[in-house]
Amino acid sequence: MDLKIKLEQLHQKVVGLKDQIGTEEATKNAFVMPFIQILGYDIFNPTEVIPEHICDIGTKKGEKIDYVIKKNDEPIIIIECKHWKENADAHNSQLHRYFHVSKSRFGVLTNGIVYNFYTDLEKPNIMDEKPFFTINIEDIKDSSIKILESFTKKEYNLETILDSAEALKYIKAIRKEFEKEIENPSDEMVKMLVSRFFNKPLIANRMIAFKEYTKKALTTSINESISFRLKSALSINEQIEKQEEKIITSSPIDDNNESKIVTTEEELEAFQIVKAILREKIPSERIAHRDTLSYFGVLLDDNNRKPLCRFHFNTANKYLETFHNGKEAGEKILLNNLDEIYNFRNQLHQTLENYNI
């Protein structure tokens, strides 16, 4: 199964269970162990994933790290866990000590939701103070998933990760400094920019004024760039939707593609479940469906631009696609059975709210 789908399933589990998780041990069992399993490591093999691994530190004997992951009998990742309510950045001194006596090149500090990945880019065998990579289960980005793939059992390659780690670390640092400059431009930044078009000395009063000008210029430039990209994306999506609607409305009833569409009993049953959920908010006549070759769509007011959800039942696995984050941000969720659709009542209701219902 795709790594992104597995992480999304774990996210759903975290959301559903975290308020019932009262201890660090429960956090490990409910959240961290499934995460390790998602990476492809056998959590039931004590030679591959070692819990409570003894990690003696100097005169301190019997010190334990929560998990050590091994590959080819060599430790590759050590993991220190905290309760999900704790800050995942607050205890890296403990992981720092374990890292020093471990042969692993990567340490992970986690509260089961946020995972901070550390290595030793600054000094050999001494863990860096700051993580080079962070992934948040509640805010999963495609770029983060791509990086996480390199830590899976199948894709793990030490040299490749270390090369990426260095790049990630310095890109993150540069970005942080840039964000500081946007918020509060430094004298150096102002002088560098202004000197290219202003030939007079920057006395104190002028520096104050140009700092404010620089801040406004940077902020405006970034906002306009974002606005332009959003408009371009919306324009492209509108063109695609118009083309889709044109195809749907202009195709004859006996069109070859339509003749290939088979609406199954499962799709109709799923539609009835969604309809029952949505009828809590709107009349049933406003809930329509359209079947296509690639998916079965549920629509508001039979409008192709107002998708409520989609069923992807044409493969071995069945997925529900929700649009609670916006119609351009569909989220596919694996279904083990149709009754699980009831678990996504809030997402379906949120989709209606997005259309001002």
Side-chain angles (χ1 to χ4, degrees):
M1 194 190 305
D2 182 76
L3 182 60
K4 182 177 182 178
I5 294 173
K6 291 180 180 179
L7 289 171
E8 287 172 347
Q9 288 178 334
L10 179 58
H11 172 225
Q12 294 295 330
K13 183 177 182 181
V14 169
V15 170
L17 289 178
K18 67 180 183 180
D19 290 336
Q20 304 170 50
I21 302 299
T23 65
E24 181 181 305
E25 194 64 29
T27 299
K28 289 193 286 187
N29 292 334
F31 301 159
V32 181
M33 288 182 70
F35 181 83
I36 296 172
Q37 196 169 33
I38 284 172
L39 296 182
Y41 301 100
D42 187 354
I43 59 175
F44 302 108
N45 182 350
T47 65
E48 184 168 287
V49 178
I50 307 171
E52 298 295 316
H53 182 69
I54 295 176
C55 204
D56 292 337
I57 304 170
T59 57
K60 289 187 176 181
K61 303 297 180 183
E63 291 283 310
K64 295 178 180 179
I65 188 78
D66 288 317
Y67 298 102
V68 172
I69 298 177
K70 286 188 173 184
K71 187 174 182 181
N72 299 326
D73 207 32
E74 290 292 328
I76 58 172
I77 305 171
I78 61 172
I79 303 176
E80 178 66 13
C81 308
K82 299 301 171 186
H83 184 256
W84 71 268
K85 288 186 178 180
E86 293 192 52
N87 190 330
D89 300 320
H91 303 276
N92 63 1
S93 59
Q94 188 175 6
L95 183 66
H96 189 279
R97 296 198 304 273
Y98 294 145
F99 189 94
H100 182 65
V101 296
S102 169
K103 293 180 180 179
S104 170
R105 293 298 301 276
F106 302 104
V108 177
L109 181 62
T110 182
N111 58 8
I113 297 173
V114 176
Y115 291 78
N116 286 322
F117 286 72
Y118 297 83
T119 189
D120 55 352
L121 294 174
E122 298 294 334
K123 296 179 182 178
N125 203 35
I126 297 177
M127 192 182 86
D128 297 337
E129 288 297 322
K130 296 181 180 179
F132 67 88
F133 169 57
T134 297
I135 186 167
N136 186 337
I137 296 301
E138 294 185 329
D139 184 21
I140 302 170
K141 297 178 173 62
D142 288 342
S143 57
S144 297
I145 293 173
K146 189 172 182 180
I147 296 166
L148 189 64
E149 283 178 348
S150 61
F151 285 95
T152 61
K153 182 178 179 180
K154 182 179 178 181
E155 301 293 335
Y156 181 85
N157 181 286
L158 177 61
E159 296 304 320
T160 300
I161 297 175
L162 287 176
D163 288 343
S164 299
E166 183 175 39
L168 285 168
K169 177 181 178 179
Y170 292 119
I171 289 171
K172 187 177 181 180
I174 292 169
R175 179 178 173 180
K176 187 174 182 180
E177 292 303 317
F178 181 66
E179 289 170 352
K180 287 181 184 177
E181 293 289 354
I182 295 172
E183 183 63 29
N184 186 22
S186 64
D187 290 356
E188 293 81 0
M189 169 68 84
V190 174
K191 288 176 182 178
M192 181 190 73
L193 295 174
V194 174
S195 65
R196 298 182 181 184
F197 59 85
F198 189 78
N199 297 323
K200 297 178 183 179
L202 283 178
I203 59 176
N205 288 341
R206 288 193 184 277
M207 176 60 78
I208 292 171
F210 273 114
K211 272 195 170 186
E212 189 62 29
Y213 300 157
T214 302
K215 180 177 179 178
K216 288 181 179 178
L218 291 174
T219 303
T220 301
S221 177
I222 290 170
N223 288 341
E224 287 183 354
S225 177
I226 292 171
S227 178
F228 175 77
R229 291 181 181 224
L230 285 173
K231 286 179 181 178
S232 297
L234 289 172
S235 176
I236 291 170
N237 286 329
E238 284 180 2
Q239 291 176 23
I240 292 172
E241 287 175 353
K242 286 178 181 178
Q243 290 174 358
E244 288 178 346
E245 286 193 343
K246 186 176 180 181
I247 291 170
I248 291 170
T249 56
S250 63
S251 296
I253 293 175
D254 61 347
D255 181 83
N256 287 335
N257 281 340
E258 187 165 333
S259 66
K260 295 177 183 178
I261 297 172
V262 178
T263 301
T264 66
E265 290 295 326
E266 277 190 315
E267 288 171 333
L268 292 174
E269 183 180 349
F271 172 66
Q272 292 303 323
I273 293 173
V274 169
K275 192 173 183 178
I277 294 170
L278 295 175
R279 284 185 67 185
E280 297 173 8
K281 300 287 185 178
I282 59 173
S284 62
E285 57 265 23
R286 298 192 66 185
I287 308 165
H289 68 77
R290 293 187 197 175
D291 202 357
T292 71
L293 284 174
S294 54
Y295 62 82
F296 183 104
V298 182
L299 307 172
L300 177 64
D301 298 329
D302 204 18
N303 188 336
N304 201 43
R305 296 186 185 182
K306 295 182 178 180
L308 296 171
C309 70
R310 290 173 181 170
F311 309 135
H312 298 268
F313 289 1
N314 297 330
T315 60
N317 293 318
K318 294 178 173 57
Y319 298 95
L320 169 69
E321 184 176 6
T322 62
F323 297 93
H324 57 286
N325 291 322
K327 66 177 182 178
E328 312 302 338
E331 181 178 313
K332 286 186 181 180
I333 303 147
L334 179 68
L335 296 175
N336 295 309
N337 57 69
L338 297 186
D339 287 341
E340 289 185 353
I341 295 173
Y342 288 106
N343 297 335
F344 303 99
R345 172 181 274 99
N346 292 339
Q347 288 89 330
L348 291 167
H349 287 175
Q350 179 60 51
T351 304
L352 284 174
E353 291 180 17
N354 293 343
Y355 297 126
N356 298 317
I357 301 300

